[in-house]
PDB file of all heavy atoms in Angstrom:
ATOM      1  N   ASN M 154     404.881 181.606 152.332  1.00 70.00           N
ATOM      2  CA  ASN M 154     404.059 180.812 152.987  1.00 70.00           C
ATOM      3  C   ASN M 154     404.654 179.283 153.073  1.00 70.00           C
ATOM      4  O   ASN M 154     404.502 178.607 152.178  1.00 70.00           O
ATOM      5  CB  ASN M 154     402.742 180.600 152.477  1.00 70.00           C
ATOM      6  CG  ASN M 154     401.703 179.791 153.359  1.00 70.00           C
ATOM      7  OD1 ASN M 154     401.991 179.035 154.279  1.00 70.00           O
ATOM      8  ND2 ASN M 154     400.420 179.914 153.039  1.00 70.00           N
ATOM      9  N   LEU M 157     402.732 175.947 152.520  1.00 81.00           N
ATOM     10  CA  LEU M 157     402.314 175.547 151.098  1.00 81.00           C
ATOM     11  C   LEU M 157     403.230 174.351 150.579  1.00 81.00           C
ATOM     12  O   LEU M 157     404.372 174.631 150.746  1.00 81.00           O
ATOM     13  CB  LEU M 157     402.247 176.677 150.192  1.00 81.00           C
ATOM     14  CG  LEU M 157     401.085 177.548 150.277  1.00 81.00           C
ATOM     15  CD1 LEU M 157     401.090 178.573 149.244  1.00 81.00           C
ATOM     16  CD2 LEU M 157     399.702 176.837 150.117  1.00 81.00           C
ATOM     17  N   VAL M 158     402.703 173.351 150.147  1.00 89.00           N
ATOM     18  CA  VAL M 158     403.560 172.387 149.433  1.00 89.00           C
ATOM     19  C   VAL M 158     403.440 172.541 147.918  1.00 89.00           C
ATOM     20  O   VAL M 158     402.429 172.559 147.364  1.00 89.00           O
ATOM     21  CB  VAL M 158     403.155 170.864 149.735  1.00 89.00           C
ATOM     22  CG1 VAL M 158     403.879 169.938 148.998  1.00 89.00           C
ATOM     23  CG2 VAL M 158     403.144 170.615 151.333  1.00 89.00           C
ATOM     24  N   LEU M 159     404.637 172.819 147.265  1.00 93.00           N
ATOM     25  CA  LEU M 159     404.746 173.095 145.959  1.00 93.00           C
ATOM     26  C   LEU M 159     405.559 172.032 145.152  1.00 93.00           C
ATOM     27  O   LEU M 159     406.520 171.576 145.706  1.00 93.00           O
ATOM     28  CB  LEU M 159     405.249 174.477 145.727  1.00 93.00           C
ATOM     29  CG  LEU M 159     404.620 175.692 146.296  1.00 93.00           C
ATOM     30  CD1 LEU M 159     405.248 176.913 146.003  1.00 93.00           C
ATOM     31  CD2 LEU M 159     403.142 175.831 145.725  1.00 93.00           C
ATOM     32  N   LEU M 160     405.239 171.802 144.013  1.00 95.00           N
ATOM     33  CA  LEU M 160     406.116 171.146 143.031  1.00 95.00           C
ATOM     34  C   LEU M 160     405.992 171.764 141.690  1.00 95.00           C
ATOM     35  O   LEU M 160     404.987 171.686 141.050  1.00 95.00           O
ATOM     36  CB  LEU M 160     405.555 169.639 142.963  1.00 95.00           C
ATOM     37  CG  LEU M 160     406.345 168.645 142.280  1.00 95.00           C
ATOM     38  CD1 LEU M 160     407.710 168.380 143.026  1.00 95.00           C
ATOM     39  CD2 LEU M 160     405.699 167.286 142.103  1.00 95.00           C
ATOM     40  N   GLY M 162     405.867 174.725 141.148  1.00 93.00           N
ATOM     41  CA  GLY M 162     404.807 175.741 141.273  1.00 93.00           C
ATOM     42  C   GLY M 162     403.405 175.311 141.320  1.00 93.00           C
ATOM     43  O   GLY M 162     402.536 176.099 141.523  1.00 93.00           O
ATOM     44  N   HIS M 163     403.180 174.075 141.368  1.00 95.00           N
ATOM     45  CA  HIS M 163     401.761 173.446 141.567  1.00 95.00           C
ATOM     46  C   HIS M 163     401.559 173.268 142.950  1.00 95.00           C
ATOM     47  O   HIS M 163     402.339 172.678 143.709  1.00 95.00           O
ATOM     48  CB  HIS M 163     401.709 172.081 140.792  1.00 95.00           C
ATOM     49  CG  HIS M 163     401.896 172.096 139.306  1.00 95.00           C
ATOM     50  ND1 HIS M 163     400.981 172.452 138.467  1.00 95.00           N
ATOM     51  CD2 HIS M 163     402.970 171.702 138.590  1.00 95.00           C
ATOM     52  CE1 HIS M 163     401.395 172.378 137.180  1.00 95.00           C
ATOM     53  NE2 HIS M 163     402.573 171.905 137.257  1.00 95.00           N
ATOM     54  N   ARG M 164     400.504 173.748 143.535  1.00 94.00           N
ATOM     55  CA  ARG M 164     400.101 173.614 144.819  1.00 94.00           C
ATOM     56  C   ARG M 164     399.493 172.115 145.085  1.00 94.00           C
ATOM     57  O   ARG M 164     398.557 171.859 144.338  1.00 94.00           O
ATOM     58  CB  ARG M 164     399.098 174.672 145.231  1.00 94.00           C
ATOM     59  CG  ARG M 164     398.623 174.707 146.667  1.00 94.00           C
ATOM     60  CD  ARG M 164     397.899 175.837 147.092  1.00 94.00           C
ATOM     61  NE  ARG M 164     397.396 175.758 148.450  1.00 94.00           N
ATOM     62  CZ  ARG M 164     396.716 176.670 148.909  1.00 94.00           C
ATOM     63  NH1 ARG M 164     396.132 177.781 148.366  1.00 94.00           N
ATOM     64  NH2 ARG M 164     396.272 176.536 150.306  1.00 94.00           N
ATOM     65  N   LEU M 165     400.089 171.528 146.069  1.00 93.00           N
ATOM     66  CA  LEU M 165     399.595 170.266 146.364  1.00 93.00           C
ATOM     67  C   LEU M 165     399.347 169.981 147.793  1.00 93.00           C
ATOM     68  O   LEU M 165     399.474 170.933 148.643  1.00 93.00           O
ATOM     69  CB  LEU M 165     400.832 169.297 146.058  1.00 93.00           C
ATOM     70  CG  LEU M 165     401.211 169.317 144.519  1.00 93.00           C
ATOM     71  CD1 LEU M 165     402.394 168.307 144.372  1.00 93.00           C
ATOM     72  CD2 LEU M 165     400.023 168.773 143.574  1.00 93.00           C
ATOM     73  N   THR M 166     398.806 168.723 148.165  1.00 88.00           N
ATOM     74  CA  THR M 166     398.581 168.384 149.535  1.00 88.00           C
ATOM     75  C   THR M 166     399.688 167.373 149.901  1.00 88.00           C
ATOM     76  O   THR M 166     400.372 166.886 149.038  1.00 88.00           O
ATOM     77  CB  THR M 166     397.246 167.682 149.722  1.00 88.00           C
ATOM     78  OG1 THR M 166     397.180 166.519 148.948  1.00 88.00           O
ATOM     79  CG2 THR M 166     396.050 168.703 149.143  1.00 88.00           C
ATOM     80  N   ASP M 169     399.573 163.948 148.282  1.00 92.00           N
ATOM     81  CA  ASP M 169     400.088 163.870 146.737  1.00 92.00           C
ATOM     82  C   ASP M 169     401.622 163.726 146.792  1.00 92.00           C
ATOM     83  O   ASP M 169     402.038 163.079 145.695  1.00 92.00           O
ATOM     84  CB  ASP M 169     399.685 165.256 146.061  1.00 92.00           C
ATOM     85  CG  ASP M 169     398.250 165.467 146.024  1.00 92.00           C
ATOM     86  OD1 ASP M 169     397.493 164.622 145.843  1.00 92.00           O
ATOM     87  OD2 ASP M 169     397.935 166.629 146.185  1.00 92.00           O
ATOM     88  N   THR M 279     393.757 171.823 137.614  1.00 95.00           N
ATOM     89  CA  THR M 279     394.962 172.036 138.323  1.00 95.00           C
ATOM     90  C   THR M 279     395.653 170.627 138.568  1.00 95.00           C
ATOM     91  O   THR M 279     394.925 169.621 138.568  1.00 95.00           O
ATOM     92  CB  THR M 279     394.860 172.768 139.778  1.00 95.00           C
ATOM     93  OG1 THR M 279     394.010 171.770 140.580  1.00 95.00           O
ATOM     94  CG2 THR M 279     394.125 174.071 139.568  1.00 95.00           C
ATOM     95  N   LEU M 280     396.977 170.549 138.834  1.00 95.00           N
ATOM     96  CA  LEU M 280     397.550 169.266 139.152  1.00 95.00           C
ATOM     97  C   LEU M 280     396.899 168.562 140.297  1.00 95.00           C
ATOM     98  O   LEU M 280     396.629 167.437 140.384  1.00 95.00           O
ATOM     99  CB  LEU M 280     399.082 169.438 139.346  1.00 95.00           C
ATOM    100  CG  LEU M 280     399.810 168.154 139.599  1.00 95.00           C
ATOM    101  CD1 LEU M 280     399.704 167.129 138.539  1.00 95.00           C
ATOM    102  CD2 LEU M 280     401.413 168.453 139.836  1.00 95.00           C
ATOM    103  N   ARG M 281     396.571 169.367 141.289  1.00 95.00           N
ATOM    104  CA  ARG M 281     396.008 168.806 142.552  1.00 95.00           C
ATOM    105  C   ARG M 281     394.695 168.253 142.358  1.00 95.00           C
ATOM    106  O   ARG M 281     394.401 167.129 142.693  1.00 95.00           O
ATOM    107  CB  ARG M 281     395.933 170.001 143.534  1.00 95.00           C
ATOM    108  CG  ARG M 281     395.198 169.530 144.850  1.00 95.00           C
ATOM    109  CD  ARG M 281     395.255 170.793 145.759  1.00 95.00           C
ATOM    110  NE  ARG M 281     394.623 170.484 147.137  1.00 95.00           N
ATOM    111  CZ  ARG M 281     394.478 171.480 147.991  1.00 95.00           C
ATOM    112  NH1 ARG M 281     394.827 172.677 147.863  1.00 95.00           N
ATOM    113  NH2 ARG M 281     393.880 171.055 149.255  1.00 95.00           N
ATOM    114  N   SER M 282     393.840 168.943 141.507  1.00 95.00           N
ATOM    115  CA  SER M 282     392.502 168.426 141.225  1.00 95.00           C
ATOM    116  C   SER M 282     392.649 167.056 140.172  1.00 95.00           C
ATOM    117  O   SER M 282     391.862 166.170 140.398  1.00 95.00           O
ATOM    118  CB  SER M 282     391.745 169.525 140.468  1.00 95.00           C
ATOM    119  OG  SER M 282     391.414 170.574 141.311  1.00 95.00           O
TER     120      SER M 282
END
Side-chain angles (χ1 to χ4, degrees):
N154 189 344
L157 285 181
V158 178
L159 300 174
L160 190 64
H163 299 283
R164 183 175 177 177
L165 300 175
T166 66
D169 299 319
T279 63
L280 178 59
R281 181 179 177 181
S282 297

